Amino acid sequence: MPRPPMHTLDAVAALRQTVRDWKRQGLTVGLVPTMGALHEGHLSLARAALAQADRVIVSIFVNPTQFDNPSDLATYPRTWDDDRRLLADAGVHVLYAPTVAEMYPAGFATHVSVAGVSAGLCGAHRPGHFDGVATVVCKLFLQSQADMAFFGEKDFQQIHVVRRMATDLDIPIRLVACPTLREADGLAMSSRNRRLAGPERDQARRLPETLRDAARRIAVGDSVAAVLAQARERLVAGGFAEIDYLELRADADLASLAHYDGRPARLLAAARLGTVRLIDNMSVPTKA
Ligand code: PAF
């Protein structure tokens, strides 16, 4: 049977009406929030949503309030025509792409700020970033009334922030964390990768390589401090100009770990190659 065409909506009212109709039919709704410039990682989230929900909404909204740096916002890749085609081909039911004025109408004055898990890591290096994320994701959850929402583990701290926000605000939605998709050389898929210029693209693979090796050494009992210091040196030698952070944190609550005690943990890092800031994380393997 031919698939029904994907609908593109840009207004909250139209989205609510569509979701109301679906819910009246007893259908479940999955949401995949994105900022566009879609890649295979986003499509894997859409596919996970299509496997678990009867109807799937993918939102594309380059959210100005989560950019701490105006030039990052200005140069954020925008690939609207390709994005639309990819989502339609994937079988997504609704592409929701509100304008900035629809999301933040004149007089908008409310912000969601999540304490605790927003501190440190990206929160320490991108002031206001997680307030912007929590605010827009809260709005997307309320606008879509989705039953479940799908996020990639590459943004591991973001998942913690969003989960805390939804729990604290009693938003009835199930969060599904999906594994990071990687390029053939191990680089985590990211919309920002297309801004890597010339040799930077090749240097970028050193981030996952370094994290993977460091995670293996921590798993076999090497000193966390020594492993992190050597990993930093390796990244700098590999061309990374600035390392915002490289830390070992507990999976469950992002607690900072000076020593590895066997509980599920991962290394998280953010580092810059030229003007491009890359983030990644790697679990400490439980069987080394
Ligand atoms: O991960 C992202 O692309 C964004 O932070 C999100 C969740 C779509 C909110 O703008």
Side-chain angles (χ1 to χ4, degrees), residues 33-35 42 61 63 66 76 129 133 136-137 151 155 158:
T34 83
M35 296 203 300
H42 294 113
F61 180 65
N63 175 33
Q66 70 185 74
Y76 198 83
H129 169 67
V133 170
V136 81
V137 173
F151 292 87
D155 298 295
Q158 171 169 279

